[in-house]
Amino acid sequence: TPSKHPTPWKGSYGLAQLGERTHAHLLPSAARMEAPTPLPRAPQRQTTKTVVRGDRDAANNAASSEPEDSSDDDGNNNATPSQTSSEERNQRQRDLDYEDERNALGKIVANIRAYRGFGMDDVRRVEYHYGRLSEAHKALIPHEREKHAAMRSAVDANARFFDELVNTFRDMNEGSPESHGRPSHLVGGEEEARKLEHSGYQIRGVDEDKVKYVLKNLVRDWSEEGKNERERSYRYVIDALRRSCPAQGRATPPPDDKPTTSSAKATTSAEASSELVAAASAAAASGGNAATNNAGPATSTPPSAPMDHHLEHRAEPPRCVVAGAGLGRLCCELAALGYDAQGNEHSYYMLLTSSFVLNHTQRRHQWRIHPWAHQSCNVARDSDQLRCVTIPDVTPGELACRVSPGLLSMCAGDFVEVYGVPEQAGAYDAVITCFFMDTAHNVLEYLEVIRHMLKVGGIWINHGPLLYHWADAFQYLSTDELSIEISLETMHAAAQKLGFECLHQEMAVSPYTSNVHSMMQTIYNCSSSTMVKRR
């Protein structure tokens, strides 16, 4: 599927951009009594802001439609001058969109290729500040020079991984024999990257952070160390899907699943933090294998009970979409369980890396990366910062051997643009949003698209926080970016107005791209919910 990217929303902030006829009716009446005054545009500042779990730097791609055939019954072209002009404009727009896509991909490839340079810059910065110490202070930390050398080796190992990744797509230029059978949305990136580099392109700090972020995502999705983290997010999703939308035609709870009740004791933030830190320490001691279960209060049907039976005795595997699929691990796991799983991803960083891992892995622990080499704060031991993580912990081929042909696919593009079209109406049995809903400019639009693409009786499974990615965009972007930030309660109320019924809701503590050896742990008290589309 061709990559599509949203056109930036121009205008003022807040509810004034929603429109009474579209989304404002989904919010409580008190929230829309008065349209807000537009916020002043903040001056652009030089900062290294990273919008995690998504990439918004790809070029805009406005949807364009094919011109209607204006020929008469005799096959004569009776197009008027205005129709011809419209067709020409549409063609020019498609050409511009195509160039924008190529340029966007080329920029991402150029950023990845630049890793070795800016990675070594980080080492040189540390060496520079060390050099400013007095000889007496240097004598107190004599091993630092050895650490600097180890940092260089770590950056070099990461660079070799990225070089191998980029080289995989080196000959994927459109029309070349080598591009045949490759993902079409990844064709031509190398050629565009070379053009950018020859023109003097300079990578920004925010893009450097996104390249480094790829390393952390590899740990989360494809390493043994990330197993605990996956258990605390993907496991909720997989178990909920197997209960409410079973692949084998019967609503059977997964093994070892314990029922929770509405009277279950809620986990406080302090308790949750203490528990996760303990889990992280256990994971570190066991090489990242420790997995724990933490569930807050359930507010509806106990998860051990079958929730819905609309898919019993079906002949075909349930079709599900994983929105914001990242590096594809969750999609692979679902396909291996018998689901027709399609991952949707917007970020070229994730698309390039997932294509590389899924299609070019030959053995377990094939690559060695050092994802925390650039993380110099909250380090307990030098070895923690410099440690090696091997990927993958399991080859996609090992998972694929349990997958029937055609059950696993990836779809590149913006979620709303791809699945909001008429052709996708009622096409899916389940939609999974794991750490995804808060990537929206307008979360109500996400809800509408999810409802649009689900069959009646279809299941929406959500797991994640509400760290709205565009909430502070005015601080680092010169453009006005829509950001609708509503509470979980309000989001669920809006979903009910759209025809969803909540089958299960609990709060679950989950980390995200967490360094289990760090002195600082970031955790989220996530909403983990299952809803069914009733109408």
Side-chain angles (χ1 to χ4, degrees), residues 250-283:
R250 56 190 182 86
T252 302
D256 302 325
D257 194 22
K258 298 179 180 180
T260 58
T261 65
S262 57
S263 61
K265 181 180 182 292
T267 303
T268 67
S269 298
E271 291 170 338
S273 177
S274 176
E275 180 190 5
L276 186 64
V277 171
S281 299

Side-chain angles (χ1 to χ4, degrees), residues 228-505:
N228 177 62
E229 189 168 308
R230 292 193 299 273
E231 286 290 323
R232 299 178 73 85
S233 54
Y234 295 169
R235 181 51 51 192
Y236 284 100
V237 169
I238 292 172
D239 288 354
L241 186 63
R242 293 177 67 187
R243 288 190 301 266
S244 56
C245 185
Q248 302 303 323
R250 56 190 182 86
T252 302
D256 302 325
D257 194 22
K258 298 179 180 180
T260 58
T261 65
S262 57
S263 61
K265 181 180 182 292
T267 303
T268 67
S269 298
E271 291 170 338
S273 177
S274 176
E275 180 190 5
L276 186 64
V277 171
S281 299
S286 63
N289 293 325
T292 61
N293 288 317
N294 176 72
T299 59
S300 187
T301 308
S304 61
M307 292 189 234
D308 204 85
H309 300 272
H310 70 286
L311 295 174
E312 286 192 5
H313 311 301
R314 61 175 296 133
E316 299 295 327
R319 297 186 68 196
C320 61
V321 168
V322 179
L327 298 184
R329 179 63 177 263
L330 180 56
C331 292
C332 287
E333 298 281 359
L334 293 178
L337 290 172
Y339 292 92
D340 185 345
Q342 180 174 101
N344 168 243
E345 181 54 54
H346 185 199
S347 166
Y348 272 131
Y349 291 104
M350 298 294 106
L351 289 167
L352 285 165
T353 308
S354 63
S355 178
F356 177 59
V357 172
L358 293 174
N359 296 301
H360 299 279
T361 299
Q362 298 175 346
R363 62 184 184 278
R364 291 189 181 191
H365 311 296
Q366 184 170 344
W367 295 290
R368 299 167 62 86
I369 60 174
H370 299 261
W372 318 111
H374 303 279
Q375 185 173 312
S376 57
C377 296
N378 291 301
V379 177
R381 294 177 296 272
D382 291 340
S383 59
D384 294 342
Q385 178 183 355
L386 300 171
R387 74 184 186 277
C388 169
V389 176
T390 59
I391 57 171
D393 62 317
V394 60
T395 67
E398 290 176 274
L399 294 174
C401 70
R402 307 198 305 270
V403 177
S404 299
L407 290 189
L408 177 62
S409 61
M410 289 290 288
C411 177
D414 173 71
F415 177 71
V416 173
E417 294 284 347
V418 171
Y419 296 102
V421 298
E423 295 79 6
Q424 299 291 339
Y428 299 94
D429 300 297
V431 175
I432 294 166
T433 54
C434 185
F435 279 84
F436 177 76
M437 294 301 290
D438 54 4
T439 66
H441 284 275
N442 177 5
V443 71
L444 302 175
E445 191 171 33
Y446 274 14
L447 291 176
E448 285 187 330
V449 172
I450 293 170
R451 180 186 183 276
H452 167 77
M453 60 193 294
L454 279 174
K455 302 174 182 179
V456 174
I459 297 295
W460 169 37
I461 297 172
N462 178 57
H463 181 88
L466 291 177
L467 180 66
Y468 291 109
H469 290 187
W470 298 94
D472 59 349
F474 66 93
Q475 297 180 353
Y476 60 92
L477 293 178
S478 59
T479 56
D480 291 340
E481 298 292 343
L482 178 69
S483 181
I484 302 302
E485 302 137 27
I486 59 178
S487 68
L488 178 65
E489 177 186 42
T490 302
M491 185 176 76
H492 283 181
Q496 291 175 355
K497 291 182 179 180
L498 287 171
F500 285 97
E501 177 188 344
C502 184
L503 301 177
H504 178 71
Q505 159 68 24

Side-chain angles (χ1 to χ4, degrees), residues 173-236:
N173 295 313
E174 191 168 18
S176 67
E178 294 83 356
S179 67
H180 180 70
R182 304 291 184 89
S184 60
H185 54 276
L186 303 181
V187 171
E190 177 73 15
E191 179 182 347
E192 293 300 319
R194 286 197 296 267
K195 292 179 182 178
L196 283 171
E197 292 163 352
H198 292 158
S199 67
Y201 170 75
Q202 296 292 323
I203 186 173
R204 302 175 304 165
V206 63
D207 294 318
E208 294 179 4
D209 288 343
K210 290 178 181 179
V211 176
K212 298 172 186 175
Y213 183 68
V214 169
L215 298 171
K216 298 177 183 179
N217 268 272
L218 285 165
V219 176
R220 173 179 171 83
D221 262 19
W222 293 104
S223 79
E224 192 71 23
E225 184 173 304
K227 181 179 180 180
N228 177 62
E229 189 168 308
R230 292 193 299 273
E231 286 290 323
R232 299 178 73 85
S233 54
Y234 295 169
R235 181 51 51 192
Y236 284 100

